[in-house]
Amino acid sequence: MDQDRFSHLFTSNTMLSPFELESVRHEIEARTTTIHQLELQIGVLKAEREKYQTLLSPLRRNLLPPETLGEIFSFCIQYAANSNSSCASQLNTLCRVCRAWRAAALVKPALWATVGWFCIDAPKKIDVGKVNAWLSRSGKVNKAIQIRGDHRAGDSPECPLSPPELGNLLTDGFSLDTLSLVCTHAECLVAIFSEMQDRSSKVQSVDSLHLGMEWASSVTFGKVCGILDWIPTVRTLSLALPEFHDNFTFDSELPETLPFGNLSGLTLICDWPLPLVLDILRICVNLETLTLDTEGCARKYDPSLPDDMPILLLPRLRALQLKGLDLSTRDTDILQYLRVPSLRTLDIIFYMINRDEPDDYNLPNLGSDIASLVTGGPNRATNLQHLRLKSLPITPQGLYVILSALPTLTHLTLEELESDSRLFRDAHTSSTKLLPRLKTLKIHEASELFTFNDSDVYNFLRRRKEGLTEESPDYLEEAELTVRKERTYLWQDAFDRPYHYASEMAKNGIRLSIGAAV
């Protein structure tokens, strides 16, 4: 249609003829089609524009300093350490993206400071050349080697951590901050260092040593511990020991002398009977940190071992962790035999299992075991300040027994607590103030199986600040409450009004944070 011929129609109210109506409809359809075609062209042009825009990103313009990019890579590697992919694999992937990324990784020495954890299955052997090449990029940063060798019955008799190769790496290579060696048989670990002994060689400086084995005897255990004689710089030792009776041949006693006197930190991962654990600890008079991990297994019992055990004094111990405890056992009994006057931190982590109700979990034994640390005579712990309890199923009454026995606590952390909130709701009814020196309270991811009301905790915090006097001050400064994101409906009131709660607590001098855990 010729638009000029119908220009008068836009400025008048003349009625259109049938021919004119049909022509106008045709013009509308034609322009609609043109608009659609242009919109498609615009979409293509926008996509092309975005494609070109990526070429102007800070990375492509080299505006992001390599040091900053290296820091980003560090966060990526840390995330990989908590996933199924290895740090080395993630780092290699980053380096293959482009030349600039590889250069940025190479100027970040900390990225190349760790080799492990990787497993070498027989008949393969450790490639010392690759390890040296990797660590050579780490400069003067503290280095760590973490290697596991695996060879079962029927495999090649030669260990993948064969002595000459690994021995040369440890004696002629780099000084290490951490060395972790795990093999199926204890004899393999002994062989590595025996070969160095034959050459009168000593390992370069190592601060932290982890040794793990699946099969051993009393004799080979003593020889493995003797490795410390060839690495005199070790101050922190971790031992992952075989299952007692099943994979460990016990010859009625352990070696009388173990070179543990200079250790400041010790981790024992085992299910060995309590008397044997205490025998090992008696040599560790200079310990400052101690971790006992049963990995969810009950400690074994051996009738040949004495039931009546003497008290053990660890005068310098400041931090004690019991990990992977089976609640059906009496693994916390060890606390009754320890005297730790310098203890500041107690961390108890229970093995997570499915439970229904905590009504049968008053846990009087746990309460008395913990209390024995602070009521054990002249060498009792008089300044225990930090307590963390994780995955603990317990009634409010049982938890009250534990906390009321520890008036010196300044920091309390309850993680994945399997209990309700009555302890906090009723704390003000007690004649004695609960945790009078408390400064920080953290409650993380309380179980969804039980009614844990955040309002009870809020009122507990508020009441502590009410009616303060010089004779009865309150030291509480900080509180954290977190719940899993998918369970926020349990604490919906708090998540609806987090700023209100936080502002109200701030008026009382308490920093309160309420959030959802990942």
Side-chain angles (χ1 to χ4, degrees), residues 274 311 320 322 331-340 343 346 348 366 368-373:
L274 185 56
I311 297 298
L320 172 61
L322 304 182
D331 287 348
T332 56
D333 280 358
I334 191 171
L335 300 179
Q336 298 182 16
Y337 299 95
L338 297 180
R339 294 298 176 265
V340 282
L343 189 67
L346 178 62
I348 304 181
L366 174 62
S368 60
D369 291 341
I370 294 177
S372 67
L373 293 173

Side-chain angles (χ1 to χ4, degrees), residues 317-320 340-347 373-374 381-388 403 405-413 435-441:
L317 192 70
R318 298 178 60 85
L320 172 61
V340 282
S342 301
L343 189 67
R344 297 292 183 273
T345 302
L346 178 62
D347 190 0
L373 293 173
V374 298
T382 58
N383 197 20
L384 179 58
Q385 298 180 356
H386 297 254
L387 174 66
R388 181 173 79 126
L403 299 182
L406 305 173
T408 60
L409 281 187
T410 59
H411 296 73
L412 173 63
T413 301
L435 303 176
R437 300 186 184 180
L438 188 65
K439 293 182 179 180
T440 301
L441 172 64

Side-chain angles (χ1 to χ4, degrees), residues 273-294:
L274 185 56
L276 291 186
V277 174
L278 290 173
D279 283 345
I280 294 174
L281 295 181
R282 291 185 199 286
I283 308 166
C284 309
V285 293
N286 292 312
L287 282 186
E288 297 179 8
T289 61
L290 171 63
T291 297
L292 302 176
D293 187 356
T294 55

Side-chain angles (χ1 to χ4, degrees), residues 217-222 225 241 244 248-258 260 268 272-281 283 305:
S217 65
S218 299
V219 175
T220 54
F221 169 73
C225 295
L241 302 173
F244 195 77
F248 179 74
T249 305
F250 181 53
D251 301 326
S252 73
E253 62 181 10
L254 295 178
E256 292 185 2
T257 57
L258 295 173
F260 292 171
L268 293 178
W272 288 15
L274 185 56
L276 291 186
V277 174
L278 290 173
D279 283 345
I280 294 174
L281 295 181
I283 308 166
L305 297 172

Side-chain angles (χ1 to χ4, degrees), residues 408-422:
T408 60
L409 281 187
T410 59
H411 296 73
L412 173 63
T413 301
L414 302 174
E415 294 186 17
E416 301 174 9
L417 180 68
E418 299 189 19
S419 184
D420 58 45
S421 55
R422 282 178 290 171

